[in-house]
Amino acid sequence: MKALKNVKFTRKTAVFIIIAAAVLLAAIVLLCAGGGGLETAADRIEYLSSLGWEVDPSSESEREVVLPEMLDGVMQQYNELQKQQGFDLAPYAGRECRSYSYTITNYPSGEAGVIAQIFVCDGEVIAGDIHSAKMGGFMHALR
């Protein structure tokens, strides 16, 4: 404590302390945000695998999606499906996210052309479904 009495806090020292604290805070945020995200194809494939789905990695399709401001009509129905599996698109309305689609290779019926689709925002899955690409196909939850 005696050593602190001899330290003079100048404007330069105060600026240095503020900058050091900001750098430390930024490092903590980056470290905390880095874990658990689905930033790579391997991460997304592993996520789908954890739900029991085997997919063809070469079939990955990626696109940018801007969710509508209002979730009504078909989007409201889609969000009801999402809520059944623990997701909710409402907090993401109007936001940009990424859609990733993969061909499923282990669908129980053996049907071909079944797609796993997940929506990712800030490295986290916010929605997803399994659907048939056939005319009059089906759609159900990921789980």
Side-chain angles (χ1 to χ4, degrees):
M1 196 69 171
K2 192 174 186 180
L4 287 177
K5 288 182 181 180
N6 295 333
V7 175
K8 290 186 178 182
F9 285 99
T10 64
R11 182 177 284 166
K12 188 176 183 179
T13 304
V15 169
F16 175 77
I17 291 172
I18 291 170
I19 291 172
V23 168
L24 181 61
L25 181 61
I28 291 170
V29 167
L30 288 174
L31 286 173
C32 290
L38 297 178
E39 301 298 330
T40 68
D43 295 335
R44 293 184 291 276
I45 291 168
E46 183 177 326
Y47 172 78
L48 291 168
S49 178
S50 75
L51 299 175
W53 301 114
E54 294 174 13
V55 300
D56 176 1
S58 67
S59 71
E60 181 183 69
S61 171
E62 175 184 1
R63 64 187 171 104
E64 182 179 302
V65 176
V66 177
L67 298 174
E69 293 283 340
M70 297 292 297
L71 300 178
D72 53 8
V74 174
M75 281 304 294
Q76 183 179 13
Q77 292 173 354
Y78 187 74
N79 199 35
E80 289 304 316
L81 173 68
Q82 299 315 308
K83 287 178 180 179
Q84 291 172 12
Q85 59 184 344
F87 299 123
D88 185 3
L89 289 171
Y92 302 95
R95 290 197 52 195
E96 180 182 301
C97 65
R98 310 285 307 164
S99 168
Y100 298 94
S101 299
Y102 300 89
T103 301
I104 293 178
T105 59
N106 70 331
Y107 197 73
S109 71
E111 182 177 338
V114 179
I115 307 294
Q117 177 172 274
I118 57 174
F119 294 88
V120 177
C121 188
D122 299 327
E124 299 297 323
V125 175
I126 62 168
D129 64 80
I130 305 298
H131 64 270
S132 171
K134 291 182 180 179
M135 182 72 93
F138 60 84
M139 179 181 288
H140 60 76
L142 288 169
R143 300 179 177 112

